[in-house]
Amino acid sequence: MVDEKKLAQLKILAMDVDGVLTDGSLNLSKDGEIFKRFDAKDGLGMSIAQRQGLEIVFITGRLSPIAKRRAQELGVKTVFEQAKDKAAVLQQLSAERKISLENIGYIGDDLIDLPAFAVAGVSFAPGDSAADVIKRADYVATHQGGKGAVREIIEAILKAQGLWEAVVNSYLTAGQGDKQ
């Protein structure tokens, strides 16, 4: 388990899409993507995170209109597509936002995510990630990609930041207008 102090200092949570926000299935037609399955719990988690000041960023190696649409639905403003070097994307985010890489967490599930693990302040992996990714992750979720792993990770971060109980309490009286 990762040190809570490291989780508490995160300001950006960047993540791969296929295998993290989805179960990793690629549903393709001759004209491109047909559909992807996203988890509503992950979506609500990302909405809550953003409302609490944790920026969410998607980084995908694919050109994915579906991932961009999902980002728009959730209010995720930063999406990097066709990213071949995810570590360089994190370094670019660090420079543009003028924050340390220690303040950026990254969720990945396969070998192409390992360079980002090497530079991120905290590396996270869904529970069904490749064995070599799990071995190198600072935090491994019990949930699988596309099945609640992102929500689990966001809850851990917001708990470390002392924000989660207030989030739960806010729902005891009314909805918060979050998207799923």
Side-chain angles (χ1 to χ4, degrees), residues 32-124:
E33 291 180 322
I34 300 173
F35 67 90
K36 291 183 186 284
R37 180 194 166 280
F38 295 96
D39 188 284
K41 290 180 206 71
D42 288 340
L44 182 59
M46 288 182 281
S47 292
I48 291 168
Q50 292 175 109
R51 190 163 38 86
Q52 297 303 311
L54 181 64
E55 182 180 356
I56 302 295
V57 174
F58 293 176
I59 304 173
T60 179
R62 302 180 61 79
L63 182 62
S64 178
I66 293 172
K68 284 199 74 138
R69 177 172 176 208
R70 183 67 172 147
Q72 289 170 346
E73 288 176 353
L74 296 172
V76 173
K77 293 176 178 48
T78 306
V79 178
F80 293 91
E81 293 181 284
Q82 296 182 308
K84 301 301 177 213
D85 184 348
K86 295 177 183 184
V89 172
L90 294 183
Q91 291 164 331
Q92 176 185 338
L93 271 173
S94 172
E96 287 176 357
R97 303 296 196 277
K98 296 182 177 24
I99 65 169
S100 168
L101 284 163
E102 292 297 312
N103 300 120
I104 300 175
Y106 182 78
I107 311 173
D109 70 304
D110 215 333
L111 299 177
I112 59 175
D113 298 304
L114 290 178
F117 274 27
V119 300
V122 182
S123 57
F124 301 92

Side-chain angles (χ1 to χ4, degrees), residues 9-54:
Q9 68 186 9
L10 295 179
K11 296 180 177 165
I12 295 175
L13 182 59
M15 62 195 73
D16 182 28
V17 174
D18 295 315
V20 172
L21 288 170
T22 74
D23 66 5
S25 297
L26 298 175
N27 303 285
L28 302 172
S29 72
K30 64 182 176 79
D31 300 318
E33 291 180 322
I34 300 173
F35 67 90
K36 291 183 186 284
R37 180 194 166 280
F38 295 96
D39 188 284
K41 290 180 206 71
D42 288 340
L44 182 59
M46 288 182 281
S47 292
I48 291 168
Q50 292 175 109
R51 190 163 38 86
Q52 297 303 311
L54 181 64

Side-chain angles (χ1 to χ4, degrees), residues 123-170:
S123 57
F124 301 92
D128 61 338
S129 297
D132 287 304
V133 171
I134 288 174
K135 188 183 333 179
R136 288 165 177 82
D138 296 316
Y139 181 105
V140 178
T142 58
H143 290 84
Q144 297 179 358
K147 296 182 180 175
V150 171
R151 168 67 172 268
E152 177 185 337
I153 290 164
I154 288 169
E155 284 187 28
I157 293 167
L158 295 179
K159 284 176 182 175
Q161 293 176 345
L163 301 170
W164 186 251
E165 203 56 42
V167 167
V168 172
N169 288 335
S170 73

